[in-house]
Amino acid sequence: MSALRYGFVIGPLLGALWMVVLSTTVAVAMSFSTGEAFRPHILLSLLWGGIIGYTISQRLGDFWGEVMGTASLVILILLASGPLVVGPEASAFASIFAATALSVAFVWSVHVILDDMPAKALTRHEFEGAVIKFLTGFGYIFFTAIVLIPFYVMVLTSLKNQAELIQNPLDFSVDLSKGWDLFRSYDELFTQFNFGTYLVNSFLISVLTVFITLLFAVPGAYAVARLRFKGRAAFSRSILLIYMVPMIVLALPIYIAFSMTGLRNSLVGIIMIYPVTTIPVALYMLQGYFRGLPAEVEEAGLMDGLSRLKVIWKITLPLSLPAMASVSLYVFMIAWNEFLLAFMLLDDPSKFTLTRGIASLNSSEIPRQHLMAGSVVATVPIMALFLGLERFMTKGLTAGSVKG
Amino acid sequence: MSETSPPKGTGPLARIEARLAWGLLAPTITAVALVVLLPLLAIFWISVKPVSLADLRAPEVVLREDIRGDDEAVGDQATIRYRLRNSSQEQPILGVTFADTVPEGLTITEVDPRCTLDDRALRCDLGDIEGGYRESLTFPAIVAQPYLDNALRPQDSAADVTGSASNVLTNATFTLDNFKRVFDGAEFWSVFWVTMFYTVFGTIGALLFGLFAALLLNKSFKGQGILRGLYLFPYVSPIIAVAFAWILLFDPFSGSANALLIQMGVTQEAINFFGQRPLALIMVTIFEIWRYFPLSFLFILARMQSIDTDMYEAADMDGASPFQQFWALSVPQLLGILSVLFLLRFIWTFNKFDDIFLLTGGNAGTRTLTVNVYEQAFAVSNIGAGAAVAVVIFGCLLLFSAFFFKFISREEGL
């Protein structure tokens, strides 16, 4: 390790690696947005990245020197001997844009990475500082890419048609001249595939699940958090244990019982099952919160002659509104996203939930953009709700250990 | 000398409190018992029964009733016909009887020896019928005026059928064939190893990625909230939506990932990511990591933000480098949450069904134990074998939980 701790070693090394990261990023981003052939050239990336990294780490150029360096990097790329190779079909604008973006981003960011680093021998601090900056930059790009790409593909596929998709699977450019015709898959989903009903079904089921869950979980959580009784510890453990029972194990007997009693294929059956799967989670999250509330306020209420139930209703509940919000949000999310039970128990297309509806779109006769449009319809409401109430969600998820 | 000691036993106040507590818990306990404990018991019961999907409906007598011949005018000769059959081809039905009311104005002239006619009440006792039995009972009758005035026809009044069949779910036939099937040959062990691979690597991967993401976001800067929200996307969106997005992305014929790899020269021909061994298993494990790293990220970030920063300042003064601080200060502080997360995620990944079911359907060497439950019960239609796999899963789960509770009692929090 100590051999690395010199500015003239680590500068070109980090520069070379960083160029590989950036040229790959730009190539992938440009390919995904234009459909043209952009690809990183790994060897040339290492070479040019190393040279620029060396120059900057040794402070060889002033500001204008760096501007010149950036410009020559752009020209190198356009002459096809830079870190990024552009296919011959790509438009001039796209090539120039990609070359400039890569060059500017690289020179600027390599500056940030190598800034606090002396040219010669490094202390351990300075060395690790530069490595950490490199890793941080890589981490942001990496995580943002892996999270965004599937959603990007999902949304843009839903705006395309089958022929365009087969022709160039990379071309996700949106043809704005089509106007409202872009949203044809969505229109067809709602007019021909009954997605309006599924949306309403999913929404009703999720809201009802939230209410029923709270109705059961609030008293239960209060009892576990505040009241002393024999078997309290055992009870809160069994709650956790139940929380670990796999759904598929329960789904089998539930399927049999519902087949025999005729509850299969009915929304009532679904509403009977969903809350029970969420009650343990909700109870666990709420009791954690109730425990954190000051007991003195409740005791004052008891002294003033309120009954326990009144205390819960008039003191504990108003104090725990934030927790209720996050639990409701979480339960709503579980019910909205639930797939297995809906898939096994619902056969009648008029009673589908959204997830079950999407599953029914997965057939070779239905074009794929419909499948993706359905996925977008299911994802957007939960994302919007979640981004709007993100603070509650983050708190709620961490308040109780949460299942996925 | 009187001895002073704390009061023993439970006082009246404590008893009232306990009663209230159980009262408040009663609805939850009932609901959970009905939907969780009862099915669990049922799984154990079914796992020792030779039951297939077709046996779920108990055999029953199917009876259709109609009138044949002329029944247009007074004095017409008509025939009331009862067609019976056993819905099951194998199982007998015992003590089959049916009773019906003959419509007004029809006079039955001849009665089957097994039947009795009392005024208009017809009653037949057919005894036991075999599997696959079918028979027509006919009763010649003469039409009179009231029948024509009355709109009531024989088929309008349903006959009352009784008969008891032995249901395979409730009778006393037991078998260990299901378990024999499950443990038979190499298949069980291949399924088991696939499950272990998926669980171990999925869990560790999600933890490491979560830790990395948490380290990235453990500082305040502009846009931190947006990135935090963004990194939770995989976890909060519906599984079915993201699974299909992945399938499309990695499609061997028209997937963008393959197009990208070919264009970049990484591969010459399209790769069938979800369709070939052992790549499919690696892909579903990567999907698992992708989908659940946000959860570990969230918990680890919450723990990191509660660590006292003074400690880091002191370490800085003493000359500890960033990596030394991470190993010597952060890691020990995070060890608790990391191990709890590891155990929880291990159990939940072991139990995971939807992801693999949607991505590969358990094909191409990705069949885990949970997918095997579905496969046995619904694809092969052998519910008993499915239940037997479920029992095996439940056994593993108990083992893990025992370990978990032993551990978590030392590890505060969560």
Side-chain angles (χ1 to χ4, degrees), chain A residues 211-270:
Chain A
F211 274 108
I212 298 172
T213 304
L214 287 183
L215 210 63
F216 279 75
V218 168
Y222 185 84
V224 174
R226 275 278 184 278
L227 303 177
R228 272 157 306 187
F229 60 96
K230 262 207 190 97
R232 184 163 82 162
F235 185 82
S236 58
R237 278 193 173 193
S238 30
I239 287 288
L240 247 181
L241 193 66
I242 280 164
Y243 193 26
M244 292 175 186
V245 175
M247 206 55 229
I248 182 78
V249 170
L250 301 183
L252 199 60
I254 288 173
Y255 176 87
I256 295 173
F258 274 29
S259 299
M260 285 174 156
T261 52
L263 279 169
R264 225 181 93 202
N265 233 336
S266 77
L267 292 183
V268 177
I270 290 280

Side-chain angles (χ1 to χ4, degrees), chain A residues 38 128 146 228 244 284 403, chain B residues 17 235 263 321 351 414:
Chain A
F38 288 85
E128 287 177 7
I146 62 165
R228 272 157 306 187
M244 292 175 186
Y284 196 72
K403 184 179 191 169
Chain B
E17 198 167 304
Y235 178 68
Q263 181 194 296
S321 77
N351 292 344
L414 275 191

Side-chain angles (χ1 to χ4, degrees), chain A residues 57-217:
Chain A
S57 66
Q58 300 307 307
R59 318 270 184 301
L60 294 181
D62 58 355
F63 176 73
W64 289 110
E66 273 166 25
V67 171
M68 291 299 288
T70 312
S72 36
L73 192 59
V74 173
I75 292 166
L76 274 173
I77 292 172
L78 293 178
L79 291 176
S81 41
L84 186 70
V85 180
V86 185
E89 310 87 14
S91 69
F93 173 74
S95 336
I96 294 173
F97 178 79
T100 319
L102 175 60
S103 308
V104 173
F106 179 77
V107 173
W108 173 75
S109 53
V110 108
H111 235 298
V112 175
I113 291 177
L114 301 178
D115 238 3
D116 309 327
M117 210 179 70
K120 297 268 154 35
L122 305 182
T123 66
R124 198 170 172 159
H125 251 98
E126 289 157 344
F127 168 72
E128 287 177 7
V131 172
I132 284 173
K133 275 184 194 163
F134 171 82
L135 288 177
T136 309
F138 171 74
Y140 285 135
I141 292 178
F142 176 75
F143 279 108
T144 310
I146 62 165
V147 168
L148 276 187
I149 287 175
F151 291 101
Y152 176 81
V153 169
M154 188 200 289
V155 172
L156 288 173
T157 306
S158 73
L159 304 178
K160 297 250 150 195
N161 66 43
Q162 195 85 356
E164 290 170 326
L165 283 172
I166 302 268
Q167 202 189 14
N168 184 357
L170 270 180
D171 186 4
F172 285 112
S173 54
V174 178
D175 185 6
L176 283 177
S177 64
K178 283 204 278 187
W180 287 109
D181 208 30
L182 277 176
F183 297 100
R184 228 177 73 195
S185 319
Y186 293 90
D187 184 50
E188 280 172 12
L189 277 190
F190 281 98
T191 51
Q192 294 168 22
F193 289 92
N194 232 349
F195 259 60
T197 320
Y198 303 165
L199 202 63
V200 173
N201 282 350
S202 263
F203 186 75
L204 279 181
I205 287 179
S206 306
V207 169
L208 272 173
T209 304
V210 170
F211 274 108
I212 298 172
T213 304
L214 287 183
L215 210 63
F216 279 75

Side-chain angles (χ1 to χ4, degrees), chain B residues 86-158:
Chain B
N86 184 344
S87 69
S88 160
Q89 289 298 314
E90 284 105 31
Q91 302 209 34
I93 303 175
L94 310 178
V96 176
T97 68
F98 73 89
D100 196 16
T101 310
V102 181
E104 217 179 330
L106 271 185
T107 319
I108 291 182
T109 51
E110 194 187 328
V111 181
D112 190 280
R114 288 168 291 178
C115 303
T116 55
L117 184 68
D118 182 12
D119 192 13
R120 283 167 44 221
L122 178 70
R123 207 187 130 70
C124 299
D125 187 348
L126 302 176
D128 305 345
I129 61 174
E130 291 306 309
Y133 161 97
R134 55 178 68 228
E135 185 179 7
S136 292
L137 293 175
T138 49
F139 299 90
I142 295 172
V143 177
Q145 190 59 39
Y147 176 76
L148 299 175
D149 298 341
N150 202 333
L152 206 67
R153 294 292 170 264
Q155 55 267 38
D156 294 336
S157 69

Side-chain angles (χ1 to χ4, degrees), chain A residues 24 27-28 31-32 35-40 124-125 128-129 131-132 135-136 138-140 142-144 146-151 153-154 157 165-166 169-170 172 216-217 219-220 222-224 226-230 235 237 239-246 248-250 252-256 259-260 272-273 276 279-280 283-284 308-309 312 330 333 336-337 339-340 343-344 355 358-359 362 368 371-372 375 378-379 382-383 386-387 390 393-394 397-398 400-404, chain B residues 10 14 17-18 20-22 24-25 27-29 31-32 35-37 39-40 42-43 46 53 55-56 167 169 209-210 212-213 216-217 219 221 225 227-242 244-246 248-249 251 253-257 259-260 263-265 290-293 295 298-299 302 316 319-325 344-345 347-348 351-354 357-358 370 373-374 377-378 383 386-387 390 393-394 397-398 401 404-405 408-409 414:
Chain A
T24 311
V28 170
S31 298
F32 266 126
E36 305 298 351
F38 288 85
R39 62 190 182 83
R124 198 170 172 159
H125 251 98
E128 287 177 7
V131 172
I132 284 173
L135 288 177
T136 309
F138 171 74
Y140 285 135
F142 176 75
F143 279 108
T144 310
I146 62 165
V147 168
L148 276 187
I149 287 175
F151 291 101
V153 169
M154 188 200 289
T157 306
L165 283 172
I166 302 268
L170 270 180
F172 285 112
F216 279 75
Y222 185 84
V224 174
R226 275 278 184 278
L227 303 177
R228 272 157 306 187
F229 60 96
K230 262 207 190 97
F235 185 82
R237 278 193 173 193
I239 287 288
L240 247 181
L241 193 66
I242 280 164
Y243 193 26
M244 292 175 186
V245 175
I248 182 78
V249 170
L250 301 183
L252 199 60
I254 288 173
Y255 176 87
I256 295 173
S259 299
M260 285 174 156
M272 281 167 62
I273 294 292
V276 185
I279 286 172
L283 203 155
Y284 196 72
R308 273 282 183 185
L309 293 178
I312 299 179
Y330 186 60
M333 184 189 99
W336 182 270
N337 291 351
F339 162 73
L340 175 61
F343 180 72
M344 285 178 83
T355 49
I358 297 171
N362 182 26
R368 295 189 313 182
L371 184 63
M372 287 297 100
S375 302
T379 311
I382 193 77
M383 292 258 180
F386 163 74
L387 278 183
E390 190 245 340
M393 188 76 176
T394 318
L397 281 171
T398 40
S401 56
V402 155
K403 184 179 191 169
Chain B
T10 41
E17 198 167 304
L20 178 69
W22 286 113
L24 291 174
L25 286 171
T28 302
I29 294 174
V32 167
V35 180
V36 179
L37 298 183
L40 271 181
I43 272 288
I46 298 167
L53 210 53
D55 294 326
L56 286 190
N167 186 332
L169 279 177
F209 274 62
F212 189 16
L216 287 179
L217 288 187
K219 50 188 125 185
F221 56 91
L227 275 187
R228 196 176 52 195
L230 185 73
Y231 289 178
L232 295 180
F233 270 18
Y235 178 68
V236 294
S237 35
I239 169 71
I240 186 160
V242 287
F244 281 137
W246 271 60
L248 277 197
L249 184 61
D251 188 278
F253 304 108
S254 54
S256 316
L260 194 70
Q263 181 194 296
M264 292 195 169
W290 178 80
R291 186 160 154 77
Y292 295 103
F293 89 83
L295 199 72
L298 214 55
F299 280 95
D316 228 17
S321 77
F323 281 120
Q324 284 173 327
Q325 286 176 28
L344 277 175
R345 289 272 1 125
I347 292 171
W348 287 326
N351 292 344
K352 206 76 219 153
F353 168 77
D354 310 25
F357 178 69
L358 285 169
T370 46
V373 175
Y374 186 87
F378 294 96
I383 293 220
I393 293 180
F394 191 69
L397 172 84
L398 280 185
S401 317
F404 177 80
F405 282 124
I408 206 168
S409 51
L414 275 191

